[in-house]
Every structure is written in structure tokens, then in C-alpha cells.
Amino acid sequence: MPRLNIVRMSNIIRTPRVVQLESLFDVPKASHSQEFWKIELPIEDFPWHIGLIVGPSGSGKSTLLKEVFGPYLIPEYQWDPEKSIVDSFPAHMSIKEITMLLSSVGFSSPPSWIRPFQVLSNGEKFRVTIARALAENQEITVIDEFTSVVDRTVAQIGSAAIARTIRKRQQKFIAASCHYDIIDWLEPDWIYEPHLNKFQRVCLQRPQIQMEVKRVDKSAWDIFKKHHYLSADLNVAAKCFGGFINGEIVAFVAVLPFPHRIKSTCGWREHRLVCLPDYQGIGIGKVISDYVASLFKCKGHYYGQTSHPALIYARAKSKNWKLINRSKLGVIPKGVLWKPSYNRYSYGFKYIGPANYEDAEGFGII
């Protein structure tokens, strides 16, 4: 149970400017400055995965981290300006492990995985840094200034994705932040406020996200095409759907008819599925994909083919999807339902979840 009294002292050189400041602002004359913190963190008394140290700037968060968790504090990484993101992870990790970890924290964009760190957006840098920290620090990962350089949407959605990853990996994570708006999204097991010397165990639940799905014009694809991991093309025959949160479109699904020489396998197939980077990592893409699939199942079979590791993993676990084929590099899979790409691994799934007749009628699908 960490119980510490921390004292920080610094000498004051009483220059003419310092003397002038003392007289202007009635600052007591002194030869040194002193700060004192009394800290009690009973974190050894119960099992936990996520802790949050939160308070205003100057409240002692960074000092506490250095004194109590110094060996686990993540430094500012020196990213090689020439290396891709995937080459910046530990050498012992496989490409599958790296991409799954990146996807799990909400950085699920293969085109960006091959770029150097310095060209990424602030939100992408934030998630990549967390992923690398989790990869390199198996015991406790401690992050100072958590979410301080990203906008609040990225901070909240990113916190939720990171929390899911930490609990899944059974790791321990401590964040220090001056932002209280991430608390419910990070769902910490304990919170410590150093300016109040207040420690509390908590059991929180992430806020629910309401997403509305609408038919959208094909022009909506312009917002999403640069984030798609394969082609930026959209078939002219595609039926398009958008997922909206607070009136903003954040996800996109396109569907195509699926004719086949065997009539019993005819139906529909998922043509495009994209979620904007700021909203990745909390299952929004999976939700809208399943929802649209439930609409088109009312008209027949519904299929989806993907090479994305996170989506493959999610559908393999889902009771709503059944794996029907796997293609290997350069090999045409037996019984394939449509032409795969032979230069990549690809997994084909069939939607076997419930059909949503009520909403399908409202969309004019039946």
C-alpha cells in the first residue's frame, strides 16, 4: 500500500526581478520554495486493471507518477523517421500480433500501418503510442498526460477502446490526466485525485452510444474512401448506408447484389465497410455491418469477404456469422462463392443471424 510524503524544494535566487515581483504581488520573501504531497494509494488491497490519477495542472500528478511508478512510466518514444509503424514494434512480435494490437486500440487502418510515425494525425499517434506501450510493458503501463494532445472525441472513444484492450490482455494500466470527461469512458477500477488526496474504488459503465442508420447517397463514400484498406472504388450499383452519431456520419456500408450460377446461393454481399478513425475500436463497424446484414437477409442470403484481421476475428467469434471459405495466397479456394483476391489472404463469411423484417420494410428493401 503506497503511502508517501513527497517534498519538493527549490532554491530561490533573489534577483532584482524577483524582488520586484515580491513587492508587486505581496509574495513572502524566501530563500527556497517548497511543495508537499501526502499520498495514500491502497492499490495492493484489491485486484485491478485500470487506475486513473486525475486533477488540475500543478496538482502533483507527474510528481506522483515519478515517485511511485517511475520504473513503469512510459518515456517519449524516439520513433525512427524512416521506419513504418509495424517495424517500430518489438522484434519478437509477429505481424498478426502487431496488427491485432493496433486494431484493438482503435487504430485499424492498414494503409497507415506502413507509414512513419511523424506523418500520422494526433489521434493516430495517441493510439499507436498506447499500443507500443502495451506491447513493451507487460507488468504495468503508466502514461502521463493521457489524452492531453487529442480532441475530446478521440479522447473518449480512444479511452473506451484502450480499456477494452487492457482488460482483454489482463494487463495493468495507470493514466494521469487533467481531463475528467474520460472517466466514464476509461472505466477505471480506482481514481486518485492528488489535490484532494482522495482515493476511491469505482465501478463505472461506459456511456451508451446511440447510432442511427440511414440510406445515404453514393457521394458519402468520398468521406470514407481514403480510410478503406483495399480499394477506393465504389461500384455504381451499390446500395449505401451511413451510421450517424449526434448527426455526424461516422460509418459506411455498401451492399451489392450477388448473382450466382447456383441459384440457391444468390443473394447480397457486403461491398464496403468503413468506420472513421476517430470512432474505431469500440465495435461501431461490427454493429452497423450486422444491422445492414439483418436487413438484406430478408431478401435472401448475405455474405461478406474480408482480409482485415480485426474483422476476421470478430466474425469468427460472432454467432451471427459463419465462416464458409478461406483463400490462400495464389490459391483458388474450393467451393468459392465469388472471385477472391489471390495476392492476399481472404476469409468469406455468411450472415446467419436474425432477419430484421420490420426495419427492412421501412428501408424499402422488402
Side-chain angles (χ1 to χ4, degrees), residues 291 294-295 298 355-364 366:
Y291 178 77
S294 74
L295 302 178
C298 300
N356 187 342
Y357 287 96
E358 181 177 354
D359 287 2
E361 186 174 1
F363 276 106
I366 58 174

PDB file of all heavy atoms in Angstrom, residues 291 294-295 298 355-364 366:
ATOM      1  N   TYR A 291     -26.189  -4.988 -38.602  1.00  0.00           N
ATOM      2  CA  TYR A 291     -27.527  -4.414 -38.789  1.00  0.00           C
ATOM      3  C   TYR A 291     -27.927  -4.443 -40.266  1.00  0.00           C
ATOM      4  O   TYR A 291     -29.040  -4.870 -40.609  1.00  0.00           O
ATOM      5  CB  TYR A 291     -27.554  -2.982 -38.260  1.00  0.00           C
ATOM      6  CG  TYR A 291     -28.886  -2.296 -38.465  1.00  0.00           C
ATOM      7  CD1 TYR A 291     -29.976  -2.588 -37.649  1.00  0.00           C
ATOM      8  CD2 TYR A 291     -29.056  -1.356 -39.482  1.00  0.00           C
ATOM      9  CE1 TYR A 291     -31.203  -1.974 -37.838  1.00  0.00           C
ATOM     10  CE2 TYR A 291     -30.279  -0.734 -39.679  1.00  0.00           C
ATOM     11  CZ  TYR A 291     -31.346  -1.040 -38.863  1.00  0.00           C
ATOM     12  OH  TYR A 291     -32.563  -0.429 -39.059  1.00  0.00           O
ATOM     13  N   SER A 294     -28.745  -7.865 -41.387  1.00  0.00           N
ATOM     14  CA  SER A 294     -30.067  -8.329 -40.937  1.00  0.00           C
ATOM     15  C   SER A 294     -31.175  -7.805 -41.842  1.00  0.00           C
ATOM     16  O   SER A 294     -32.224  -8.440 -41.998  1.00  0.00           O
ATOM     17  CB  SER A 294     -30.314  -7.900 -39.492  1.00  0.00           C
ATOM     18  OG  SER A 294     -30.598  -6.508 -39.388  1.00  0.00           O
ATOM     19  N   LEU A 295     -30.970  -6.642 -42.464  1.00  0.00           N
ATOM     20  CA  LEU A 295     -31.959  -6.092 -43.388  1.00  0.00           C
ATOM     21  C   LEU A 295     -32.024  -6.914 -44.668  1.00  0.00           C
ATOM     22  O   LEU A 295     -33.102  -7.273 -45.150  1.00  0.00           O
ATOM     23  CB  LEU A 295     -31.621  -4.635 -43.731  1.00  0.00           C
ATOM     24  CG  LEU A 295     -31.516  -3.633 -42.578  1.00  0.00           C
ATOM     25  CD1 LEU A 295     -31.124  -2.257 -43.119  1.00  0.00           C
ATOM     26  CD2 LEU A 295     -32.832  -3.542 -41.817  1.00  0.00           C
ATOM     27  N   CYS A 298     -33.549 -10.514 -45.198  1.00  0.00           N
ATOM     28  CA  CYS A 298     -34.977 -10.621 -45.507  1.00  0.00           C
ATOM     29  C   CYS A 298     -35.217 -10.920 -46.987  1.00  0.00           C
ATOM     30  O   CYS A 298     -36.315 -11.363 -47.366  1.00  0.00           O
ATOM     31  CB  CYS A 298     -35.693  -9.323 -45.136  1.00  0.00           C
ATOM     32  SG  CYS A 298     -35.560  -8.882 -43.392  1.00  0.00           S
ATOM     33  N   ALA A 355     -33.150 -12.079 -39.184  1.00  0.00           N
ATOM     34  CA  ALA A 355     -33.570 -11.115 -40.208  1.00  0.00           C
ATOM     35  C   ALA A 355     -34.434 -10.041 -39.558  1.00  0.00           C
ATOM     36  O   ALA A 355     -35.266 -10.335 -38.703  1.00  0.00           O
ATOM     37  CB  ALA A 355     -34.346 -11.822 -41.311  1.00  0.00           C
ATOM     38  N   ASN A 356     -34.246  -8.794 -39.993  1.00  0.00           N
ATOM     39  CA  ASN A 356     -34.971  -7.667 -39.411  1.00  0.00           C
ATOM     40  C   ASN A 356     -36.033  -7.197 -40.409  1.00  0.00           C
ATOM     41  O   ASN A 356     -35.819  -6.242 -41.163  1.00  0.00           O
ATOM     42  CB  ASN A 356     -33.975  -6.544 -39.089  1.00  0.00           C
ATOM     43  CG  ASN A 356     -34.601  -5.400 -38.324  1.00  0.00           C
ATOM     44  OD1 ASN A 356     -35.817  -5.247 -38.291  1.00  0.00           O
ATOM     45  ND2 ASN A 356     -33.762  -4.570 -37.713  1.00  0.00           N
ATOM     46  N   TYR A 357     -37.174  -7.871 -40.417  1.00  0.00           N
ATOM     47  CA  TYR A 357     -38.211  -7.583 -41.410  1.00  0.00           C
ATOM     48  C   TYR A 357     -38.834  -6.198 -41.194  1.00  0.00           C
ATOM     49  O   TYR A 357     -39.155  -5.507 -42.172  1.00  0.00           O
ATOM     50  CB  TYR A 357     -39.294  -8.663 -41.359  1.00  0.00           C
ATOM     51  CG  TYR A 357     -38.844  -9.971 -41.943  1.00  0.00           C
ATOM     52  CD1 TYR A 357     -38.353 -10.971 -41.114  1.00  0.00           C
ATOM     53  CD2 TYR A 357     -38.914 -10.211 -43.299  1.00  0.00           C
ATOM     54  CE1 TYR A 357     -37.928 -12.187 -41.645  1.00  0.00           C
ATOM     55  CE2 TYR A 357     -38.503 -11.416 -43.856  1.00  0.00           C
ATOM     56  CZ  TYR A 357     -38.001 -12.400 -43.014  1.00  0.00           C
ATOM     57  OH  TYR A 357     -37.572 -13.585 -43.550  1.00  0.00           O
ATOM     58  N   GLU A 358     -38.992  -5.801 -39.954  1.00  0.00           N
ATOM     59  CA  GLU A 358     -39.662  -4.529 -39.667  1.00  0.00           C
ATOM     60  C   GLU A 358     -38.859  -3.358 -40.242  1.00  0.00           C
ATOM     61  O   GLU A 358     -39.392  -2.493 -40.977  1.00  0.00           O
ATOM     62  CB  GLU A 358     -39.841  -4.349 -38.164  1.00  0.00           C
ATOM     63  CG  GLU A 358     -40.559  -3.058 -37.801  1.00  0.00           C
ATOM     64  CD  GLU A 358     -40.802  -2.919 -36.296  1.00  0.00           C
ATOM     65  OE1 GLU A 358     -40.511  -3.893 -35.559  1.00  0.00           O
ATOM     66  OE2 GLU A 358     -41.255  -1.848 -35.882  1.00  0.00           O
ATOM     67  N   ASP A 359     -37.557  -3.316 -39.952  1.00  0.00           N
ATOM     68  CA  ASP A 359     -36.728  -2.213 -40.466  1.00  0.00           C
ATOM     69  C   ASP A 359     -36.478  -2.344 -41.958  1.00  0.00           C
ATOM     70  O   ASP A 359     -36.368  -1.336 -42.675  1.00  0.00           O
ATOM     71  CB  ASP A 359     -35.408  -2.163 -39.711  1.00  0.00           C
ATOM     72  CG  ASP A 359     -35.557  -1.636 -38.286  1.00  0.00           C
ATOM     73  OD1 ASP A 359     -36.697  -1.355 -37.894  1.00  0.00           O
ATOM     74  OD2 ASP A 359     -34.530  -1.523 -37.582  1.00  0.00           O
ATOM     75  N   ALA A 360     -36.386  -3.581 -42.464  1.00  0.00           N
ATOM     76  CA  ALA A 360     -36.164  -3.769 -43.895  1.00  0.00           C
ATOM     77  C   ALA A 360     -37.321  -3.181 -44.701  1.00  0.00           C
ATOM     78  O   ALA A 360     -37.122  -2.588 -45.756  1.00  0.00           O
ATOM     79  CB  ALA A 360     -36.004  -5.261 -44.203  1.00  0.00           C
ATOM     80  N   GLU A 361     -38.532  -3.328 -44.168  1.00  0.00           N
ATOM     81  CA  GLU A 361     -39.689  -2.738 -44.853  1.00  0.00           C
ATOM     82  C   GLU A 361     -39.619  -1.224 -44.818  1.00  0.00           C
ATOM     83  O   GLU A 361     -39.930  -0.553 -45.808  1.00  0.00           O
ATOM     84  CB  GLU A 361     -40.969  -3.242 -44.190  1.00  0.00           C
ATOM     85  CG  GLU A 361     -42.239  -2.800 -44.923  1.00  0.00           C
ATOM     86  CD  GLU A 361     -43.485  -3.429 -44.327  1.00  0.00           C
ATOM     87  OE1 GLU A 361     -43.368  -4.185 -43.357  1.00  0.00           O
ATOM     88  OE2 GLU A 361     -44.575  -3.132 -44.851  1.00  0.00           O
ATOM     89  N   GLY A 362     -39.165  -0.686 -43.687  1.00  0.00           N
ATOM     90  CA  GLY A 362     -39.048   0.776 -43.578  1.00  0.00           C
ATOM     91  C   GLY A 362     -38.011   1.331 -44.534  1.00  0.00           C
ATOM     92  O   GLY A 362     -38.155   2.459 -45.024  1.00  0.00           O
ATOM     93  N   PHE A 363     -36.947   0.561 -44.818  1.00  0.00           N
ATOM     94  CA  PHE A 363     -35.917   0.994 -45.770  1.00  0.00           C
ATOM     95  C   PHE A 363     -36.319   0.712 -47.214  1.00  0.00           C
ATOM     96  O   PHE A 363     -35.595   1.079 -48.134  1.00  0.00           O
ATOM     97  CB  PHE A 363     -34.596   0.279 -45.459  1.00  0.00           C
ATOM     98  CG  PHE A 363     -33.770   0.919 -44.386  1.00  0.00           C
ATOM     99  CD1 PHE A 363     -33.672   0.352 -43.131  1.00  0.00           C
ATOM    100  CD2 PHE A 363     -33.080   2.091 -44.627  1.00  0.00           C
ATOM    101  CE1 PHE A 363     -32.910   0.920 -42.124  1.00  0.00           C
ATOM    102  CE2 PHE A 363     -32.302   2.685 -43.661  1.00  0.00           C
ATOM    103  CZ  PHE A 363     -32.217   2.105 -42.394  1.00  0.00           C
ATOM    104  N   GLY A 364     -37.461   0.059 -47.426  1.00  0.00           N
ATOM    105  CA  GLY A 364     -37.884  -0.261 -48.779  1.00  0.00           C
ATOM    106  C   GLY A 364     -37.125  -1.433 -49.379  1.00  0.00           C
ATOM    107  O   GLY A 364     -37.104  -1.618 -50.603  1.00  0.00           O
ATOM    108  N   ILE A 366     -37.783  -4.665 -48.639  1.00  0.00           N
ATOM    109  CA  ILE A 366     -38.794  -5.675 -48.978  1.00  0.00           C
ATOM    110  C   ILE A 366     -40.144  -5.007 -49.155  1.00  0.00           C
ATOM    111  O   ILE A 366     -40.354  -3.878 -48.743  1.00  0.00           O
ATOM    112  CB  ILE A 366     -38.877  -6.760 -47.896  1.00  0.00           C
ATOM    113  CG1 ILE A 366     -39.216  -6.148 -46.508  1.00  0.00           C
ATOM    114  CG2 ILE A 366     -37.604  -7.562 -47.837  1.00  0.00           C
ATOM    115  CD1 ILE A 366     -39.458  -7.185 -45.448  1.00  0.00           C
TER     116      ILE A 366
END
